[in-house]
Structures are given as structure tokens and as C-alpha cells.
Amino acid sequence: MEAENLTSITEFILVGLTSHRKTQILLFVVILNIYLLTIAGNLVIIMLVRTDSHLHTPMYFFLTHLAGVEICYVTSTLPQMLFNLLTRNGAISLTRCAIQMHLVLTLGGTECVLLGAMAYDRYLAICHPLLYAILMGRWRQLQLASVSWLVGILLATINVGCTFSHLFCGPNRVNHFICELPVVLKLACANTHITEFVVFMAAAILLLGPLSVILTSYGLILVTVLKMQSSSGRQKAFSTCTSHLMVVTVFYGTVITMYMRPGLGTASDFDKKLAVFYILVSPLLNPIIYTLRNKDVHRAAAKVLQRWGLKHN
């Protein structure tokens, strides 16, 4: 009986979004287009910031980091998802599952802290414009970006380490399209209450910490903006902050629902639908939201197109 209990499975089967073949083909086409658009949109942001000296500011420094995170984030999940849809083979080894889980949590955690850093940057720029250049110098930018990556890597390592310290002896069907930690943890044979507590606390630190910085920063920004005499200044500040808050709402709202509700994931179809927002929708919308009403980016894009046009005339 003890030997049976120690028998471990060697792979998981990702169930995916659907088992209907026609729907799988349709999803493959849709997700492939989303993946390509996400990569293209975020690469455009990185290229524009690097080529236009007017965009060499702290806000765009963090935005290029966010764009890089989004590219890595979708690349850690969507190619595997596309392969599974095309081949109808959801098998993934425990090692590959752990690697994917670590990448997803690292990049998701990094994005959480980066969004907090971006809110802090906007607070300094709007509320303390005279001290902004000193308070948000190059060294401070590098510090905040480095901390974002380090926190993401550290908490991901703790969470994945705790999850895969458990034995998985079956069943091995993961009701998801990626190796999502709460759903995989439900398949562990042993009692997972301690691990669930560790994951919950890590999520609380990673989500509520930056979120409190974001809410405080934008609260102070709102007070400052309402006191502004210039209507154009108010409009520009509101425009920038609105785009940031839209990104924060979509990302934080869905991730908090997934990782901080009682009992973590329920391995239900609801979890899969929820994950679509922060795995597919959020990375696609971020470059659109940040650039749609951004005149600086529009000017930079116009310059690039103009230079490209001159070269081909």
C-alpha cells in the first residue's frame, strides 16, 4: 500500500478550452492572431522608445520593460496552447509544466511590481514636477526595474517549489490550457493546506503591495490634478492616468480573483475563462491602451513613418 502511494505520474494532460474540433480550429486561428498582434504591438512600443529621443523618459523606460514582459509572458503560454489545439495532444511532462508555471508566475509577478513602479513614477511627475528629475533619475529607474524582476523570480521560485514538493499520483488531467498553479495544486495527493497558505500569502504580498501603491499614488494624483489651473494640464494628466488605471483594473481584477479567493482555484471552467483575460486579453490591450491617446507616441510613430517613406522615395 505504501509503494502504491509513492507511485508518481510522469505527465499532465491539459484539457484546454474545448474538445470540439471545429471550435479548436477556430480558437487556433483567433489565438494565433492575438499572439502575433501582441508581439507586434509591444515590439512597436520598444522600437519607438529606442529610436525617439523624446521618449527617453522614466515613464517610457518602464513601458518598454512592461512591453518586454508581455512579449515573454505570451510566449511562455500561447505557443504551447496553439500546439495543443492543432495536435489535440495536451500532454506535458511534470518538468515542462514546472518550467512553464515558473515563467508565468515570474513574468506575472514582475508585471505586478512594474505597474506599481509606473504609478509611483506618475505620482512624482505630476505631484512633484520640480523634484522629478532628481527623484526618478536613471539609477532609481534601474533599481525599481531590478526589484520588479527579483521579486517576481523569488516568489515564483517559492510557489513552484512548494507546489512540486507534493507527490502527484493521479488523476493527471488539468482542467486548464496552461499549467496554472492553483489548478495543478488540486491534483496533489497529499494535504496541500500549508502550500495553499504559502501561495495565498505570496499572492497577497505581490498583488496587494503594489496595488496599495497604485491606489495611493492615483489618489494623490487626483487631488493634485483637481487643483491645477491649466485645463490642458488636467486633460493630459487624466489621459495618462486613465490608460494606466484601465490596464491595472483588467490585470489585477482577474489575477486577484484567481489567486486570492478562498481555496484558490476550483479547477472549474470559470478559472479557464478568467485566465483568458490576463493571459490573452491584457497583453494584447496594453500596447493599445498606452498608445491610443498618447500624442508623444503618435509623434514618434509619425517620424518613423516619415523617415521610412523618405528612404523608399
Side-chain angles (χ1 to χ4, degrees), residues 188-250:
C189 299
N191 189 310
T192 61
H193 287 126
I194 294 176
T195 301
E196 286 182 13
F197 177 75
V198 170
V199 172
F200 180 86
M201 291 306 297
I205 294 168
L206 195 56
L207 294 169
L208 299 185
L211 186 59
S212 64
V213 172
I214 291 167
L215 294 177
T216 303
S217 296
Y218 284 119
L220 295 170
I221 287 171
L222 180 62
V223 173
T224 302
V225 167
L226 292 174
K227 292 178 180 178
M228 284 183 178
Q229 301 294 325
S230 168
S231 59
S232 61
R234 278 200 304 270
Q235 187 177 359
K236 184 177 181 181
F238 270 126
S239 177
T240 303
C241 295
T242 300
S243 64
H244 288 197
L245 285 173
M246 286 174 67
V247 170
V248 167
T249 302
V250 173

Side-chain angles (χ1 to χ4, degrees), residues 247-304:
V247 170
V248 167
T249 302
V250 173
F251 182 76
Y252 274 90
T254 51
V255 174
I256 286 174
T257 305
M258 182 71 181
Y259 281 86
M260 293 197 66
R261 69 180 191 267
L264 292 178
T266 58
S268 67
D269 288 342
F270 173 75
D271 289 334
K272 291 191 288 188
K273 292 171 184 175
L274 193 67
V276 166
F277 282 95
Y278 58 85
I279 291 173
L280 284 167
V281 178
S282 182
L284 175 65
L285 289 181
N286 283 0
I288 299 171
I289 290 171
Y290 279 116
T291 60
L292 192 62
R293 298 172 61 188
N294 191 313
K295 292 179 181 178
D296 294 333
V297 173
H298 293 173
R299 280 193 290 268
K303 287 180 185 177
V304 170

Side-chain angles (χ1 to χ4, degrees), residues 3 25 31 37 51 53 73 116 132 142 146 158 161 181 184 195 217 219 251 279 289 293:
I25 297 299
I31 292 168
L37 286 171
T51 56
S53 60
Y73 189 72
Y132 179 58
L142 292 171
S146 299
I158 293 170
L181 188 153
V184 171
T195 301
S217 296
F251 182 76
I279 291 173
I289 290 171
R293 298 172 61 188

Side-chain angles (χ1 to χ4, degrees), residues 110-149:
T110 301
E111 181 168 347
C112 285
V113 184
L114 264 179
L115 290 172
M118 292 173 75
Y120 176 65
D121 169 70
R122 289 300 81 208
Y123 158 72
L124 291 179
I126 295 170
C127 300
H128 302 284
L130 298 178
L131 297 173
Y132 179 58
I134 299 171
L135 295 175
M136 192 53 76
R138 188 66 178 175
W139 178 240
R140 179 60 55 84
Q141 295 168 44
L142 292 171
Q143 281 181 321
L144 290 172
S146 299
V147 167
S148 299
W149 283 100

Side-chain angles (χ1 to χ4, degrees), residues 30-106:
V30 171
I31 292 168
L32 178 61
N33 280 295
I34 288 175
Y35 178 56
L36 294 176
L37 286 171
T38 302
I39 297 292
N42 285 290
L43 280 176
V44 165
I45 288 177
I46 294 171
M47 180 198 72
L48 289 176
V49 173
R50 287 188 176 276
T51 56
D52 194 308
S53 60
H54 292 96
L55 299 182
H56 292 174
T57 63
M59 184 177 84
Y60 293 105
F61 170 81
F62 291 122
L63 189 54
T64 55
H65 269 269
L66 183 63
V69 168
E70 298 291 24
I71 290 170
C72 296
Y73 189 72
V74 294
T75 302
S76 70
T77 55
L78 298 193
Q80 172 77 44
M81 189 178 176
L82 290 168
F83 175 80
N84 294 349
L85 286 169
L86 196 61
T87 62
R88 306 186 76 176
N89 177 17
I92 183 170
S93 68
L94 266 67
T95 302
R96 283 174 55 211
C97 182
I99 291 170
Q100 185 187 64
M101 188 185 293
H102 193 281
L103 287 171
V104 169
L105 291 175
T106 294

